[in-house]
Amino acid sequence: MEAFRAAEGHGSDWRRACEACIAGLGELPASANLGFVYASDPLADALDLIGARLAEATGIGAWVGTGGAAVCSSGREHADGAIVALAASLPEGSFDLFDGLRDDPGDLDRRLRAWTTRGITSFGVVHGDPRHGGAAATIARLSEASGAFLVGGLTSARGSPLQIAGRPTEGGVSGVLMNADVALITGLSQGCTPIGPVHEVTASQGPWVLTIDGRPAVAVLEEEIGEVLARTPQRIAGYIHAALPLAGSDHADYVVRPLLAIDARRAIIAVGDDLRRGDPLRFVKRDGRAAQADLGRLLDDLAARARGRRIRGALYHTCIARGRHMFGPDSAELRMIEAALGPVPLAGFFTNGEVYRDRLYGYTGVLTLFL
């Protein structure tokens, strides 16, 4: 029997949608021991009940997941009233669940001691509560302390911020950590394109960038975005962003942060991060064509890294601003993945921030393939 099995259910009634999902999973092998589940609004409000029913019906006690404004299956995105599930058979003792993790160092260290005694932790799938202001710090510390390469995302459901990791939880970070016995590969696709060179922050105060390359921050921004956009700053919102280049990364990687405010009188800008003097900074624009091209690059890269090995299952965590907004209608983003991978069992959701390695990203898609 297949080691990975995916299914979906639809409708406004969580019970009916969940039963359809269970029927779609069918008879699972006795080795099935881990499940991923994502529910879109309004079913995300019943995620705790969905998780309990899936555990009862499948015999898999370890279910992890969260809610999203939309969810993903192979070749399709589902905006309203959908549940997607992926059941997996992983090596015995190769994973452990955690929940309710916040950025308290003592709490993190206590839990990590228990997790890492089972073996070397090399990978993790995590879900976070967007109301938890320390989520990015928790994710970074978890990756550093455990040595795990993390993927996942923040809940984007309009209603409940519930997550499950064997049991319902909210308010922090939860998920599953895996050791090196689990064979997989992963990669990230950007959704923005640079519009200028990398600059240096030369004066800042918290999120406010005062000067860039020794010049007023607004002057540098206006120079790069052009006269038309500079005269109509309301058009910048959601289109022009700040990007923080990552030192030593492949493909000149960067983390996108929103422009929170432009103070033309003082010629300063506010960025959705705390920057310091000497930090690199560049400006980027949201770009559907660039997003499609970079997803194609990622799919080619993952195919090369798979080296002909069979892809057994997949997880996809993509930004809520992607999908139809950047790739077009009719599930074009998911169909692009399906065209490259074939009908691989896949589950995922549209996030409020994507996790990759040890950071929280925006406007990206993170694809993980189990081999």
Side-chain angles (χ1 to χ4, degrees), residues 16 27 34 36 43 76 82 88 107 119 124 133 137 142 171 178 202-203 235 267 275-276 286 311 316 347 349 371:
R16 291 185 179 180
E27 182 183 355
L34 176 64
F36 298 92
L43 304 185
R76 292 188 63 193
D107 179 48
L142 171 60
M178 306 173 189
T202 46
R235 292 178 57 191
L275 299 181
R276 298 179 180 180
R286 194 173 70 174
I311 299 169
Y316 191 51
F349 78 110
L371 305 175

Side-chain angles (χ1 to χ4, degrees), residues 73 85 97 108 165 167 176 187 197 223 260 269 301 308 319 340 342 368:
S73 63
L97 308 188
L108 188 58
R167 60 185 180 183
V176 56
E223 186 177 276
L260 301 179
I269 63 175
D301 178 65
C319 180
T368 302

Side-chain angles (χ1 to χ4, degrees), residues 127-338:
H127 307 113
D129 189 329
R131 303 172 305 172
H132 172 40
T138 301
I139 289 162
R141 183 167 173 79
L142 171 60
S143 178
E144 179 183 13
S146 67
F149 191 117
L150 304 177
V151 302
L154 302 186
T155 301
S156 64
R158 295 186 295 271
S160 170
L162 272 175
Q163 308 156 42
I164 58 169
R167 60 185 180 183
T169 183
E170 61 180 272
V173 174
S174 67
V176 56
L177 292 175
M178 306 173 189
N179 66 25
D181 291 338
V182 181
L184 54 82
I185 54 177
T186 189
L188 174 140
S189 171
Q190 290 281 3
C192 295
T193 188
I195 57 175
V198 177
H199 302 284
E200 180 181 334
V201 175
T202 46
S204 66
Q205 185 174 353
W208 288 100
V209 179
L210 311 182
T211 63
I212 299 171
D213 298 336
R215 301 171 57 203
V218 165
V220 176
L221 173 63
E222 290 180 344
E223 186 177 276
E224 293 201 352
I225 65 177
E227 184 179 355
V228 174
L229 278 179
R231 288 202 308 262
T232 54
Q234 65 271 19
R235 292 178 57 191
I236 296 175
Y239 178 58
I240 303 297
H241 306 276
L244 314 181
L246 303 178
S249 63
D250 296 335
H251 310 295
D253 197 11
Y254 50 83
V255 176
V256 175
R257 294 291 183 259
L259 287 176
L260 301 179
I262 299 174
D263 187 331
R265 184 178 63 82
R266 294 189 292 171
I268 61 179
I269 63 175
V271 174
D273 211 324
D274 287 342
L275 299 181
R276 298 179 180 180
R277 181 177 180 179
D279 283 346
L281 173 70
R282 75 188 313 173
F283 296 105
V284 297
K285 63 179 179 179
R286 194 173 70 174
D287 189 332
R289 289 185 179 179
Q292 294 168 35
D294 202 52
L295 180 56
R297 174 206 59 79
L298 170 62
L299 292 168
D300 289 343
D301 178 65
L302 290 174
R305 289 164 56 194
R307 297 193 297 273
R309 289 173 289 177
R310 183 185 176 204
I311 299 169
R312 302 189 302 158
L315 293 172
Y316 191 51
H317 302 101
T318 185
C319 180
I320 194 172
R322 287 167 65 97
R324 61 185 175 84
H325 304 291
M326 300 184 75
F327 288 79
D330 302 323
S331 303
E333 182 178 9
L334 273 299
R335 286 191 290 108
M336 188 173 173
I337 294 172
E338 184 184 45

Side-chain angles (χ1 to χ4, degrees), residues 6-7 36-38 72-74 84-86 314-317 344-349:
F36 298 92
V37 59
Y38 300 108
C72 310
S73 63
S74 183
V84 295
L86 179 70
L315 293 172
Y316 191 51
H317 302 101
V344 170
L346 179 148
F349 78 110

